[in-house]
Amino acid sequence: LYTLWNIMRRDHLLLSILYRCPRMKVSRLQKVSTLLAATLGSFAICSILIGTKAVKSNHYVEIGMITALAIFPMIRGIRELFSSRPYRPRQVDFLKIGKIGR
C-alpha cells in the first residue's frame, strides 16, 4: 500500500505538485505548467467537439472520453520532455563547508 502511495506522489498529475520527489529533475513550476497545458488542451478539444457538432452537446461522457484520449499523449510528451532534460547538479562551495565544520 505504501508503494502505491509513493507512485501516486511521483506520477499523479495533482499529487506530484504537492509532494516533491528529491530524485526527480522536474520542478514544481514545470508540473504546474503541465497541469495548465492539460486543462487548456481539454477545454480546447471540448469546445472543438461541441462547436463543430461532431458530438451532441448533451453527451458529456462521450465528450470526456474523446478528450481524455486526445490529451493523454500530449501530457505524457510534455512530462517526458521535462524529465529528460539535461541535469546540472548544484555547485557546492567547499570553502563554506570547511568553515562550518570547524
Side-chain angles (χ1 to χ4, degrees):
L1 188 62
Y2 192 70
T3 304
L4 179 65
W5 176 246
N6 284 338
I7 292 172
M8 291 290 287
R9 284 185 357 191
R10 187 184 68 216
D11 291 334
H12 191 267
L13 192 59
L14 295 175
L15 288 178
S16 66
I17 295 171
L18 300 174
Y19 298 100
R20 183 182 175 273
C21 181
R23 290 176 280 161
M24 296 291 284
K25 295 188 282 187
V26 181
S27 68
R28 286 185 178 169
L29 182 61
Q30 291 170 337
K31 292 176 185 178
V32 169
S33 61
T34 303
L35 177 65
L36 183 66
T39 304
L40 294 177
S42 65
F43 287 166
I45 291 178
C46 285
S47 65
I48 288 171
L49 291 174
I50 292 173
T52 59
K53 308 286 188 217
V55 180
K56 293 182 181 178
S57 61
N58 59 355
H59 293 204
Y60 300 113
V61 175
E62 290 86 354
I63 292 173
M65 290 174 65
I66 292 170
T67 302
L69 287 174
I71 289 296
F72 181 73
M74 182 188 76
I75 295 170
R76 291 305 300 172
I78 291 173
R79 287 190 69 170
E80 288 299 318
L81 285 173
F82 281 142
S83 64
S84 66
R85 67 184 170 95
Y87 180 67
R88 185 178 68 185
R90 292 184 177 178
Q91 295 189 2
V92 179
D93 190 5
F94 291 106
L95 295 175
K96 288 183 182 179
I97 293 175
K99 291 178 183 175
I100 292 172
R102 291 183 184 167

